[in-house]
Amino acid sequence: MYTLAFETSCDETSVAVLKNDTVLSNIILSQYFHSKYGGVVPEIASREHLKSIVEISEKALHDSKINLKEINLVAATSEPGLIGALLIGLNFAKSLAASMKLPFIPVNHIQAHIYSSFINKEKFDFPFISLIVSGGHTLLIQAEDFFRHKLLGTTVDDAAGEAFDKVAKMLGLGYPGGPLIDKYAKSGNPDFHKFPLAYIKDRKYDFSFSGIKTSVLYFLKSINYEPGKDEKLTADICASFQKAVVDSLYKKTLNAVKELNIKNISVSGGVSANSELKERFSGLRQNGYNIYIPELTYSTDNAGMVGITGYYKYINSEDKNIFTDLSFNMKAMPRINLHTI
Ligand code: KG4
Ligand code: ZN
């Protein structure tokens, strides 16, 4: 079964072709120019998706060596995301499915991040605990079976990636901040300064990253920090900030797996590309845990993860006719709730 999948929920235009759960091609066009605005400008993102979606689709088909006529399923991200950006990929995909009389599968972007951890992996088992850390979301989920997900915790304010991006901006490093902080942290001292993380009473699996951002801001003011002046100081601040965020993500996930007695852990979303986060979780393999972290290409937004999720959704659905309904529309849903996962 061949799936053609689309992802346009934010600032990546991506198209993938899959054979069952194997990704044959996964083309990603990142709109790097948003960095000069310090963040994604929604209207510009939509226009860029529109400009490039045909070319990216042709390239994905070309690289997969699969003809459009051989495609059996069409999948696209339908929620959550920037409304105008979602519109482009979703309508393109729906039109294609309608014209070719193919099933169309709407895919939840968060679910796509969950299943991205299993791309190109031998096999995986349920139940698993899934930590999803991206620019817009921080979620801890218990997956009992395909699409039977229970929300254990989420962020009460900023997402983990958002904290990385905002702190990078304060340090004058640029956008997106995660990879830059990661790079600087490698040569920094993680014990240089202790940045505190908020403790949320009675909500043991929830996260909060807004306080640490403010604490970095006050610290920078207290030392009259000047961007670009002292590389060692920047590296030390990055390492200390990163340690605090990674600690919080790691400890809460570990508490969940211990308490629920689950041996499988998946970590996904853009922040799962972080070297320290990967190292901490990978270390758990020695303790008998199965750790699933996507390869770099599948950690940030990509259509491969939309394709694998669409495929799983299709093969696990008793009523395949539901995928002929093209009447629904996309949803922005900036904050996640139980219904959305
Ligand atoms: O999953 P993603 O591509 O988009 C959303 O769905 O939000 O995640 C993007 C986020 C950004 O906040 C970016 O700074 C962060 O992932 N990120 C990282 C790293 N690479 C990307 N954060 C920490 N360390 C990294 N190496
Ligand atoms: Zn994402």
Side-chain angles (χ1 to χ4, degrees):
M1 183 165 282
Y2 292 109
T3 306
L4 182 63
F6 297 86
E7 157 61 38
T8 63
S9 69
C10 192
D11 57 343
E12 263 88 28
T13 315
S14 181
V15 183
V17 177
L18 288 87
K19 181 178 183 180
N20 301 327
D21 58 358
T22 303
V23 179
L24 300 179
S25 67
N26 182 40
I27 310 298
I28 307 167
L29 179 70
S30 292
Q31 303 174 358
Y32 287 114
F33 54 82
H34 289 288
S35 60
K36 66 173 180 263
Y37 306 108
V40 179
V41 183
E43 183 58 26
I44 303 180
S46 319
R47 286 170 196 266
E48 289 300 315
H49 288 313
L50 190 58
K51 258 196 242 165
S52 50
I53 196 153
V54 173
E55 199 186 326
I56 302 292
S57 307
E58 284 171 349
K59 182 145 177 47
L61 283 163
H62 174 269
D63 287 10
S64 70
K65 301 189 174 58
I66 298 300
N67 194 293
L68 182 58
K69 291 198 186 90
E70 295 174 79
I71 297 292
N72 311 103
L73 303 172
V74 180
T77 306
S78 59
E79 60 182 17
L82 302 171
I83 206 100
L86 284 168
L87 249 171
I88 308 297
L90 188 70
N91 283 335
F92 188 83
K94 283 205 298 190
S95 316
L96 193 70
S99 68
M100 294 176 66
K101 298 195 170 42
L102 293 176
F104 171 74
I105 306 157
V107 170
N108 178 297
H109 184 84
I110 306 299
Q111 289 182 355
H113 274 304
I114 298 177
Y115 291 98
S116 73
S117 308
F118 308 119
I119 297 177
N120 295 346
K121 304 279 158 66
E122 297 251 298
K123 68 171 189 66
F124 68 96
D125 286 321
F126 290 97
F128 62 85
I129 293 293
S130 180
L131 173 71
I132 305 126
V133 270
S134 74
H137 306 282
T138 306
L139 299 161
L140 197 60
I141 281 166
Q142 181 181 351
E144 283 300 323
D145 201 347
F146 280 109
F147 308 103
R148 269 184 47 217
H149 308 138
K150 186 175 158 204
L151 184 66
L152 298 176
T154 183
T155 176
V156 296
D157 40 54
D158 288 351
E162 200 177 349
F164 270 95
D165 294 337
K166 286 179 178 168
V167 167
K169 199 171 173 181
M170 290 175 206
L171 292 168
L173 299 182
Y175 177 88
L180 295 160
I181 292 192
D182 193 352
K183 192 179 114 198
Y184 273 89
K186 287 195 169 82
S187 55
N189 172 12
D191 301 317
F192 166 73
H193 185 81
K194 194 164 167 42
F195 291 114
L197 270 154
Y199 166 76
I200 312 151
K201 196 169 172 276
D202 300 332
R203 294 167 73 173
K204 58 184 173 182
Y205 296 135
D206 279 343
F207 303 91
S208 166
F209 296 110
S210 161
I212 187 167
K213 178 191 71 190
T214 314
S215 118
V216 173
L217 183 69
Y218 284 138
F219 179 73
L220 296 183
K221 278 192 177 153
S222 75
I223 59 165
N224 289 323
Y225 178 82
E226 283 180 51
K229 200 177 161 203
D230 183 345
E231 294 255 313
K232 176 74 179 100
L233 175 65
T234 307
D236 287 344
I237 298 169
C238 286
S240 303
F241 162 77
Q242 183 173 283
K243 183 188 174 192
V245 174
V246 169
D247 254 3
S248 156
L249 297 169
Y250 175 81
K251 282 181 183 157
K252 290 198 183 181
T253 310
L254 198 60
N255 286 347
V257 290
K258 280 187 178 159
E259 192 167 300
L260 299 161
N261 196 20
I262 291 177
K263 282 283 172 198
N264 305 310
I265 306 175
S266 87
V267 186
S268 61
V271 183
S272 74
N274 185 270
S275 348
E276 191 179 337
L277 191 76
K278 274 188 184 168
E279 208 178 295
R280 291 289 293 277
F281 277 101
S282 300
L284 283 173
R285 290 196 174 109
Q286 292 169 351
N287 304 358
Y289 287 97
N290 300 314
I291 307 295
Y292 300 90
I293 304 174
E295 294 162 33
L296 209 54
T297 353
Y298 303 113
S299 61
T300 47
D301 291 349
N302 69 90
M305 68 181 192
V306 178
I308 199 169
T309 310
Y311 168 75
Y312 286 146
K313 218 169 153 178
Y314 187 76
I315 58 166
N316 287 293
S317 168
E318 277 171 24
D319 179 8
K320 306 276 189 276
N321 287 327
I322 54 168
F323 300 117
T324 54
D325 176 19
L326 297 174
S327 64
F328 72 92
N329 228 326
M330 75 282 134
K331 296 183 200 135
M333 293 191 306
R335 277 281 172 251
I336 210 78
N337 57 40
L338 258 182
H339 158 76
T340 57
I341 49 125

